[in-house]
């Protein structure tokens, strides 16, 4: 019988703290019943993927909805893959979408909260204290197998259903204390392995918050807990950190689901109460009639930075995220038009178990709706800020006259039925381009009954009576008054009853003016546009159009 205590001291001579010490240092949180403690646990290896934001949002809203705690832990045990600045970039990415951690990592090498440190690289002693305690109980052992030896073991398992380091293949499981001592004295490297108590015949059951009841064979692998440099594997760090930080719900990508039997076994041997799991399926995209994962390589929208660059307001992205997070969000939104997203009763059970679909058309719709409800001041502010970074031309136009810009953006806004034309700020310049001479491109194509001949007549008559000081009623009366002079009727019904009698109706008359002034057949309120263009521009554009149509007619 190995003397486990002696072995533990041999392996961890400098570790003097025990699990009891840490249990006391990190007490249970005093939260109200049902409060959920969740976390986002990125590895600082790159940029924020839309899938990360999606998963993180689920973790965040469930903590908020239950008056719980949401924290950020940085999983930086792999120093080789660490990317400088990745932590602050991720935190910034999250904060754009309103996700601000209650505790944990709040900046590059900056943290707050009673469960610190939240950087795994600073928790080595904690992991080792638990490792030492497992060794002391005969539940973990050092393994001296080299990479080549592990390859040999694999090669010998060709006919085994289960491959890996277990049972009779676990060569170092039963080394004697003397053998271990000799190896260590000779300077041999070792990893620490779990002495798995699993039984291949038995099942492990758990109830995933998203995927439902799951049954898998128990883990029998003597998995590595500490690598040869004393750094924990993801599995070991997950169990210890989520236990000591008193996480209640682990919300993570479903690539980890196959490891749950390992994790539950670790919780058991460590004497921890298991956490609840919510495994989030990756976001999917439709392609060629099939589905595939949203891909960092192929899809620009996979990077969270894409949305800011394209000019989607954060509110739109949040609203869209919620619609794909919970299938009933849209119904809730219809019934709670102005409510804060955080008051939505988020439910893991209503998340897609197979992967939410990224739907561009839906994002566009949602965003148009969100933007249509914003005040003109807000639309101006957000567009202006966006343009400063991404569209110098628009920024310059807006800078010249902010009041005019706001008034332009206010056309058909701040009323009961605002127009829903803009989905992202990168569309604004094109949308309102005709309001500035610098960006107006005439296009004299007409629609409906309007043709060059009618256009000549209409513009000639309109130029005679046009008055920039008209109010909306007077302006519209002018349109109607022009009708009989150009063979049209002011009354659309009348036109419909006897179309052959008329050259068109009042709608065709205003189409001519609209096209002449804006180069478009469809615009927001023409009266407001006319006012904002001002007398000089209106006359200039009408005359140019007249010249064009005279040549055409
Ligand atoms: N660092 C892990 C990852 O990035 C976190 C998984 C988890 O949330 O536990 O995949």
């Amino acid at each position: 019988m190995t003397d486990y205590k002696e072995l533990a001291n041999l392996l961890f001579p400098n570790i003097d703290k025990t699990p009891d010490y840490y249990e006391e240092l990190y007490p249970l949180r005093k939260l109200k019943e049902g409060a959920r403690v969740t976390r986002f646990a990125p590895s600082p290896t790159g940029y924020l993927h839309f899938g990360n934001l999606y998963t993180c949002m689920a973790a965040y809203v469930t903590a908020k909805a239950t008056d719980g705690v949401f924290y950020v832990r940085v999983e930086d045990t792999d120093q080789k893959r660490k990317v400088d600045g990745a932590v602050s970039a991720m935190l910034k990415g999250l904060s754009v979408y309103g996700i601000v951690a209650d505790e944990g990592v709040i900046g590059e090498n900056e943290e707050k909260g009673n469960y610190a440190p939240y950087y795994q690289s600073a928790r080595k002693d904690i992991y080792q204290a638990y490792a030492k305690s497992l060794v002391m109980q005969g539940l973990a052992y050092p393994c001296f197998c080299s990479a080549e030896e592990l390859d040999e073991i694999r090669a010998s398992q060709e006919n085994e259903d289960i491959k890996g380091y277990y049972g009779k293949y676990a060569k170092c499981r039963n080394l004697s204390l003397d053998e271990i001592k000799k190896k260590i004295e000779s300077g041999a490297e070792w990893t620490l392995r779990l002495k798995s108590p699993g039984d291949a015949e038995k099942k492990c059951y758990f109830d995933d918050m998203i995927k439902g009841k799951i049954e898998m064979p128990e883990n029998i692998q003597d998995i590595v807990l500490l690598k040869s440099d004393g750094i924990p594997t993801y599995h070991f760090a997950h169990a210890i950190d989520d236990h000591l930080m008193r996480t209640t719900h682990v919300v993570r990508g479903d690539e980890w689901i196959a490891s749950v039997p390992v994790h539950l076994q670790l919780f058991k041997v460590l004497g921890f109460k298991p956490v609840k799991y919510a495994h989030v399926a990756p976001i999917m995209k439709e392609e060629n009639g099939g589905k595939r994962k949203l891909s960092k390589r192929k899809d620009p929208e996979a990077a969270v930075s894409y949305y800011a660059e394209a000019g989607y307001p954060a509110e739109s992205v949040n609203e869209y995220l919620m619609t794909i997070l919970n299938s009933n969000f849209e119904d809730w939104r219809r019934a709670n038009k102005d409510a804060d997203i955080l008051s939505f009763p988020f439910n893991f059970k209503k998340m897609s178990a197979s992967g939410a679909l990224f739907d561009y058309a839906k994002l566009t719709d949602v965003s148009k709706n969100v933007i249509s409800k914003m005040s003109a001041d807000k639309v101006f502010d957000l567009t202006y800020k966006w343009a400063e970074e991404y569209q110098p031309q628009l920024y310059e136009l807006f800078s010249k006259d902010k009041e005019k810009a706001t008034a332009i953006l206010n056309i058909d806004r701040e009323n009961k039925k605002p127009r829903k034309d803009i989905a992202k700020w990168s569309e604004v310049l094109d949308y309102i381009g005709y309001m500035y001479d610098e960006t107006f491109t005439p296009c004299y194509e007409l629609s409906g009954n309007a043709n060059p001949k009618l256009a000549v007549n209409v513009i000639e008559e309109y130029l005679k009576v046009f008055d920039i000081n008209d109010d909306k009623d007077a302006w519209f009366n002018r349109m109607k008054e022009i009708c009989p002079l150009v063979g049209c009727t002011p009354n659309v019904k009348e036109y419909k009853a006897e179309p052959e009698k008329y050259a068109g109706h009042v709608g065709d008359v205003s189409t001519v003016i609209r096209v002449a002034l804006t180069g478009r057949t469809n615009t927001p309120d023409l009266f407001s546009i006319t006012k904002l263009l001002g007398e000089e521009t209106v006359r200039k554009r009408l005359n140019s159009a007249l010249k064009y149509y005279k040549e055409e007619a």
Side-chain angles (χ1 to χ4, degrees):
M1 178 76 186
T2 317
D3 181 340
Y4 294 128
K5 193 166 174 207
E6 199 182 336
L7 175 58
N9 285 326
L10 176 67
L11 297 177
F12 302 101
N14 302 322
I15 295 296
D16 54 4
K17 304 264 192 310
T18 63
D20 284 346
Y21 168 82
Y22 292 109
E23 292 295 330
E24 221 171 285
L25 187 62
Y26 304 117
L28 286 177
R29 293 170 185 270
K30 288 194 186 71
L31 294 170
K32 73 172 208 203
E33 177 123 6
R36 291 177 173 177
V37 180
T38 63
R39 83 298 191 276
F40 178 49
S43 305
T45 51
Y47 68 103
L48 198 63
H49 188 267
F50 190 69
N52 294 141
L53 182 63
Y54 174 78
T55 304
C56 191
M57 189 60 89
Y60 182 69
V61 294
T62 199
K64 293 290 134 187
T66 55
D67 293 326
V69 174
F70 170 80
Y71 70 90
V72 173
R73 176 173 73 230
V74 172
E75 309 215 319
D76 57 347
T77 51
D78 191 346
Q79 292 289 326
K80 278 194 270 357
R81 290 180 57 224
K82 206 173 150 197
V83 173
D84 281 341
V87 170
S88 27
M90 283 192 175
L91 294 175
K92 189 170 163 247
L94 295 181
S95 74
V96 168
Y97 299 101
I99 302 180
V100 179
D102 300 306
E103 68 176 53
V105 176
I106 51 167
E108 210 80 41
N109 298 318
E110 226 186 302
E111 52 183 16
K112 68 165 189 193
N114 295 332
Y115 295 82
Y118 296 92
Y119 276 92
Q120 285 186 332
S121 55
R123 299 174 64 79
K124 203 167 161 181
D125 283 1
I126 304 177
Y127 304 123
Q128 299 211 347
Y130 281 86
K132 186 171 187 177
S133 149
L134 288 181
V135 174
M136 227 174 258
Q137 298 167 72
L139 294 169
Y141 63 89
C143 168
F144 299 90
C145 289
S146 63
E148 293 74 37
E149 280 171 292
L150 294 174
D151 285 345
E152 275 165 31
I153 293 175
R154 277 207 171 260
S156 74
Q157 290 175 324
E158 239 170 51
N159 300 322
E160 289 281 5
D161 287 342
I162 306 175
K163 313 208 184 317
Y165 204 88
Y166 68 93
K168 66 175 184 201
Y169 297 107
K171 280 182 20 188
C172 297
R173 201 182 233 244
N174 297 313
L175 292 178
S176 69
L177 184 57
D178 275 347
E179 286 169 305
I180 294 172
K181 266 188 190 160
K182 274 202 197 99
K183 282 180 190 281
I184 289 181
E185 273 160 23
S186 74
E189 288 209 328
W190 54 274
T191 59
L192 190 77
R193 286 186 184 269
L194 170 73
K195 197 178 281 176
S196 171
D199 177 342
E201 304 300 316
K202 287 196 186 143
K203 294 269 188 269
C204 143
Y205 302 90
F206 71 101
D207 198 355
D208 189 87
M209 302 293 291
I210 298 170
K211 310 227 179 210
K213 290 200 167 36
I214 294 181
E215 177 186 311
M216 280 191 258
E218 270 189 13
N219 171 58
I220 58 164
Q221 304 281 343
D222 284 358
I223 57 140
V224 173
L225 302 176
L226 297 177
K227 293 178 250 180
S228 56
D229 52 6
I231 300 289
T233 54
Y234 168 78
H235 308 303
F236 195 48
H238 153 54
I240 291 173
D241 292 346
D242 282 311
H243 169 70
L244 287 182
M245 295 180 186
R246 310 297 175 182
T247 310
T248 63
H249 291 67
V250 167
V251 188
R252 64 183 177 187
D254 70 359
E255 67 272 21
W256 293 112
I257 211 158
S259 307
V260 173
V262 170
H263 299 161
L264 290 176
Q265 191 171 71
L266 283 175
F267 276 83
K268 197 161 171 195
V269 297
L270 287 161
F272 300 161
K273 178 174 176 237
V275 288
K276 288 206 164 61
Y277 288 105
H279 284 100
V280 179
I283 295 184
M284 308 299 281
K285 206 174 159 168
E286 247 163 21
E287 195 178 64
N288 306 328
K291 278 195 209 171
R292 63 164 175 81
K293 283 186 202 170
L294 192 64
S295 140
K296 282 188 205 177
R297 258 185 319 110
K298 293 189 206 154
D299 308 309
E301 68 271 31
V304 168
S305 54
Y306 162 81
Y307 301 88
E309 283 159 24
Y312 285 101
E315 274 152 283
S316 298
V317 176
N318 278 343
E319 196 78 6
Y320 177 64
L321 272 172
M322 293 308 293
T323 64
I324 57 171
L325 268 170
N326 259 196
S327 46
N328 57 330
F329 179 76
E330 283 180 274
D331 287 339
W332 176 84
R333 176 51 88 204
R334 270 188 283 277
N336 300 275
K337 288 209 162 51
D338 301 314
D340 188 298
I341 279 182
L342 293 180
S343 62
F344 170 70
F346 172 82
N347 187 346
F348 282 117
K349 294 266 174 309
K350 293 207 161 73
M351 281 179 78
S352 166
S354 57
L357 208 56
F358 185 92
D359 177 353
Y360 220 90
K362 183 87 205 169
L363 168 66
T364 301
D365 266 11
V366 166
S367 191
K368 282 182 173 175
N369 209 24
V370 167
I371 293 177
S372 77
K373 289 186 196 145
M374 291 180 179
S375 70
D377 280 338
K378 185 162 177 181
V379 173
F380 172 79
D381 286 346
L382 293 176
T383 309
Y384 193 53
K385 216 163 149 201
W386 173 85
E388 182 173 15
E389 198 164 345
Y390 301 106
Q391 203 171 39
Q393 191 185 16
L394 181 65
Y395 184 71
E396 209 176 295
L397 288 174
F398 275 14
S399 296
K400 275 191 221 156
D401 190 343
K402 295 183 187 171
E403 237 168 80
K404 176 179 168 184
T406 310
I408 292 171
L409 294 167
N410 199 31
I411 300 176
D412 288 347
R413 180 175 294 284
E414 298 186 14
N415 59 24
K416 268 217 174 98
K417 277 198 109 198
R419 280 178 76 103
K420 298 180 181 177
D421 295 309
I422 304 169
K424 49 184 189 290
W425 308 136
S426 48
E427 293 166 2
V428 169
L429 182 58
D430 180 53
Y431 182 59
I432 61 164
Y434 54 79
M435 295 305 297
Y436 295 95
D437 277 344
E438 295 90 325
T439 46
F440 171 59
T441 20
C443 167
Y444 296 123
E445 222 166 286
L446 296 161
S447 67
N449 301 305
N451 55 33
K453 191 165 156 273
L454 179 68
V456 169
N457 295 339
V458 168
I459 297 175
E460 277 178 347
E461 291 303 332
Y462 189 56
L463 276 168
K464 287 185 210 159
V465 295
F466 165 64
D467 183 347
I468 192 70
N469 298 316
D470 279 350
D471 65 11
K472 187 154 188 177
D473 287 339
W475 172 85
F476 193 53
N477 282 335
R478 302 259 191 228
M479 295 283 153
K480 289 199 269 192
E481 281 157 21
I482 290 172
C483 287
L485 306 176
V486 298
C488 292
T489 163
N491 186 327
V492 182
K493 264 196 205 141
E494 219 169 79
Y495 172 81
K496 281 195 177 145
E498 291 173 286
E500 61 292 343
K501 246 177 92 179
Y502 303 102
H505 54 75
V506 65
D508 300 310
V509 169
S510 58
T511 292
V512 169
I513 306 297
R514 189 186 307 276
V515 169
L517 295 185
T518 67
R520 317 238 167 131
T521 50
N522 180 8
T523 70
D525 180 47
L526 186 56
F527 165 71
S528 312
I529 291 173
T530 308
K531 276 271 198 213
L532 284 168
L533 284 175
E535 163 122 38
E536 197 187 322
T537 305
V538 170
R539 288 201 184 275
K540 196 173 70 195
R541 290 189 188 178
L542 287 173
N543 280 311
S544 304
L546 182 59
K547 192 163 159 251
Y548 174 87
Y549 290 126
K550 271 188 171 161
E551 280 165 23
E552 288 287 295

